[in-house]
Amino acid sequence: MTPGTIKVWAQVHKWTSLVCTLFLLMLCITGLPLIFHEEIDSIGADPASQVTGIAASRDAPELRSLDSMLKTALATRPGEVPLYMAFYDDRPLMTVTTGVRPDVPASGMKTQTFNRLTGTLVPEGEGGGHAVTEFLLQLHIDMFLGLKGELFLGVMGLIFFVAIVSGVVLYAPFMRKLDFGTLRTARSRRVKWLDYHNLVGIVALAWMTVVGLTGVINAFVTPITTVWQANELADMTRGYAGRAALPPSRYGSVDVAMATARRAIPGMNPQFIAFPGGSFSSGHHYAVFFQGATPLTENLLTTALVDAATGQLTDARPMPWYFKALSLSRPLHFGDYGGLPLKLLWAVLDLFTIVVLVSGLYLWIARVRGLRDRNPGAVHAGSPGLATPAAAQRVATPRAPAQTPLSKGNVR
C-alpha cells in the first residue's frame, strides 16, 4: 500500500470514527441489558404469566375469546378504538393497543396487557423490569426522537460500517511485522492500549459488522413499512380503492376473522392483528400476521387480510423479501434466538466492543495531547489512535508511533 493510499484511508477512518463514536457507545451500553430483556421483564411478574404448556397455548380451550378480551380492553379505555392485538409465544398473555382514532400516531397509543386465562388486566407494575427495558429500548431505537432519531442512528450505523472497513484496510500494514495477538506490555501506556484495542477489535470484527448492519436495517423500519404499504398492501386491497374507511362501529367479530385467517394459513401461529386504519392494514381489513411454528421460520411473517365487516378472506401472502430481511435482522441483532448461551456470547462481544470504543477514544485523546505538548501551534484533530500519514509508512517498525488501525464498533 502506497503512502498516498494510506493517507486517504486514514482520513476516511479518522472522520467516520470521530462522527459516530459517542453514539455507538450509547448503543452498546443500552444494548447490553436489552440482550437479557426477557429475563429482566420476568422480575416480579404475575405467576400466571409464567404458565407454560397447554395452558399457555394461544388455542387452548381455557383461554378467553378474542372478542371478550377486546370488550374488556375497550371498557377500560372508553372513547378509544382498537389498533393492535398481539400474542405471546409461551405465555397466556396478550396485549391490546388502543387510541382515540385508527390513525393515531405512536405517541397517542395506549397498550394494555391481559391474562387470557383469567380475562383480567395485568397491572402496569407487574414484571418490575419491564419499565426499565422499555426505557432502554426507546433510547436505543430512536433516542426518544421518533422517526428522526431512527434515521439518524441508521446513518450512524452506515458511517460505522465505513469506519470498520477502513480500519481493516489499515490493520494489514500495521500488523505486517507483528504476530497476531501481540501485546507489547513493556512499552508505553499508549502502545499497550493500542495493542488491546487492535486485538479485541479484530476478534469482534465479524460480530460488530453483522450486528451493526442488522441495526441499520432495523433503523429503517418505517421506510421499509412505507414501501410495503405502497406495493404489497396496495395490491392486496386494490378492490377496495376509493371506498370510505370502515367506521369502528361496523367492525365484525375478531374471532371470526381469526378463524378465517387460520383456514387460509394453516400450521402457523398468529403474532398480531392490525385493525383497520393503521399502518399495517387498510381502512377495511383485519390484517392477521402469522409467524412460522419452528425456530427457523418463527421470524418470517405471512399476512392474511380479512374483511372487517364480513369476515371474508380478501388475500393472503408471505411478506416480501425486504420485510423478511427486516424480520430476520431483529433476532440476529439482539441474539435472542438461541437461548441463554447465545445471549451470553452476545453480551461478551458487546463488552468487547465497548472496550474497542473506549480504548480508541483514549488513544485519540492521548495522541492529540501528545501533539499539543510537542508543538502547541500544530495540533489538529487526528483519527482515534491513527498515526499521521508520514508516520504511517513506519507502522511495521519496532519504534513506530502508536496507531489504532481498527475502527470502533457498534452493536445496535
Side-chain angles (χ1 to χ4, degrees), residues 111-123:
T111 299
Q112 304 172 83
T113 303
F114 292 90
N115 187 324
R116 287 187 69 188
L117 289 174
T118 63
T120 57
L121 177 68
V122 177

Side-chain angles (χ1 to χ4, degrees), residues 21 47 53 80 86 99 113 119 140 144 151 197 200-201 215 223 245 260 320 347 366 394:
T21 293
E80 297 188 353
T113 303
H140 189 85
F144 299 96
L151 297 179
H197 176 80
V200 175
T260 299
R394 306 193 302 273

Side-chain angles (χ1 to χ4, degrees), residues 250-273:
R250 293 185 56 197
Y251 292 177
S253 169
V254 183
D255 287 297
V256 170
M258 178 63 76
T260 299
R262 282 189 175 282
R263 288 193 294 270
I265 308 176
M268 301 185 77
N269 297 322
Q271 186 182 82
F272 72 96
I273 300 173

Side-chain angles (χ1 to χ4, degrees), residues 267-269 291-295 297-298:
M268 301 185 77
N269 297 322
Q291 63 187 70
T294 67
T297 62
E298 65 181 1

